[in-house]
Amino acid sequence: MAQRKRYLFVCVNRRPDGTPKGSCAARGSVELHARLKELVKARGLAGTAVRACTSSCLDTCWAGPTIAVEPDGYFYGRVKEADLDEILDAFATDRRVERLVLSPEDFILPKELAEK
Amino acid sequence: MAQRKRYLFVCVNRRPDGTPKGSCAARGSVELHARLKELVKARGLAGTAVRACTSSCLDTCWAGPTIAVEPDGYFYGRVKEADLDEILDAFATDRRVERLVLSPEDFILPKELAEK
């Protein structure tokens, strides 16, 4: 194998039920990563173009499930399984799925979700 | 918080004892990540410059512990706790610790470590 063109880090952090900001795992990221890995393999991208990894907390819990797209340096958020094909299609032409890209505001914990 | 300048993904994958290629966790990466997180915090880098995350397998087990440095797009390998200060020092001036950067050859599983 060689270094892949892209590494996708899917946050699979799980917080206790009831935590106001929630967590990526509670929003389905474990299953999302498994499906992503299947799709990457099925498209023949696994050894060269894309490696689908899991990661610990990326600190955007409220906007999860979050995927860090590296080395491009942007984050996808609120990703659903139905978005994964579009995400992989976009890589082929080095485009991003803009509606899923987290904005600078998305990195800030909403006040109403702060722990008391 | 804001998006950090850098995300460090420390592989903490653990393979069963006796696996020829070994694993990052078996080489001490769990403790390495914990120490990295402490150092990042102690230097006041945690909220802006660096986030120390863990990741699943980065597929360079034989050269671990491995740290993916993103979005720079290079991997550190064979990292010891004694290397961490030098790694963090280098970030301050956007340099790399070249002796630890994995080469293209490091991404290829050595034949003698392949599973029978």
Side-chain angles (χ1 to χ4, degrees):
Chain A
M1 296 293 184
Q3 185 167 357
R4 313 307 194 276
K5 181 170 180 182
R6 288 192 171 87
Y7 290 80
L8 307 186
F9 295 96
V10 182
C11 172
V12 292
N13 189 50
R14 184 177 296 277
R15 297 189 182 280
D17 290 347
T19 305
K21 61 184 172 183
S23 64
C24 287
R27 293 189 171 90
S29 69
V30 174
E31 298 78 8
L32 187 74
H33 169 259
R35 181 63 184 146
L36 176 63
K37 211 166 164 77
E38 284 176 357
L39 289 173
V40 165
K41 191 175 177 186
R43 287 174 178 237
L45 304 173
T48 53
V50 176
R51 187 168 176 86
C53 302
T54 58
S55 85
S56 60
C57 181
L58 294 169
D59 204 16
T60 55
C61 318
W62 45 92
T66 306
I67 303 177
V69 180
E70 302 294 356
D72 305 76
Y74 61 87
F75 282 27
Y76 282 132
R78 307 175 187 91
V79 181
K80 295 177 170 54
E81 285 193 29
D83 299 318
L84 294 177
D85 275 311
E86 189 177 355
I87 286 174
L88 292 173
D89 286 344
F91 287 150
T93 50
D94 289 333
R95 288 177 298 111
R96 321 193 300 183
V97 182
E98 294 297 338
R99 67 185 170 79
L100 298 173
V101 175
L102 292 188
S103 69
E105 293 69 36
D106 283 319
F107 283 81
I108 301 165
L109 173 67
K111 276 185 195 157
E112 66 273 20
L113 299 182
E115 298 277 350
K116 299 289 182 285
Chain B
M1 297 291 183
Q3 185 166 358
R4 314 306 195 276
K5 181 171 180 181
R6 286 191 174 87
Y7 290 79
L8 306 186
F9 295 95
V10 182
C11 172
V12 293
N13 190 50
R14 183 178 296 277
R15 296 186 184 281
D17 289 348
T19 304
K21 61 184 174 184
S23 64
C24 288
R27 293 190 172 89
S29 69
V30 174
E31 299 77 9
L32 187 75
H33 169 259
R35 182 62 184 147
L36 176 63
K37 212 167 163 78
E38 283 176 359
L39 289 174
V40 165
K41 190 174 179 187
R43 286 172 178 238
L45 304 174
T48 54
V50 176
R51 185 165 178 89
C53 301
T54 59
S55 86
S56 60
C57 181
L58 294 169
D59 204 16
T60 55
C61 319
W62 46 92
T66 305
I67 303 177
V69 180
E70 303 293 358
D72 304 75
Y74 60 89
F75 281 27
Y76 282 132
R78 306 176 187 89
V79 181
K80 294 177 172 51
E81 284 192 31
D83 299 317
L84 293 177
D85 274 311
E86 190 177 353
I87 285 173
L88 292 173
D89 287 345
F91 286 151
T93 50
D94 288 332
R95 285 177 301 109
R96 320 193 298 181
V97 182
E98 294 296 340
R99 67 185 169 80
L100 298 174
V101 176
L102 292 188
S103 69
E105 292 70 34
D106 284 319
F107 283 83
I108 301 166
L109 172 67
K111 277 184 195 157
E112 67 274 19
L113 298 183
E115 298 278 351
K116 300 289 181 284

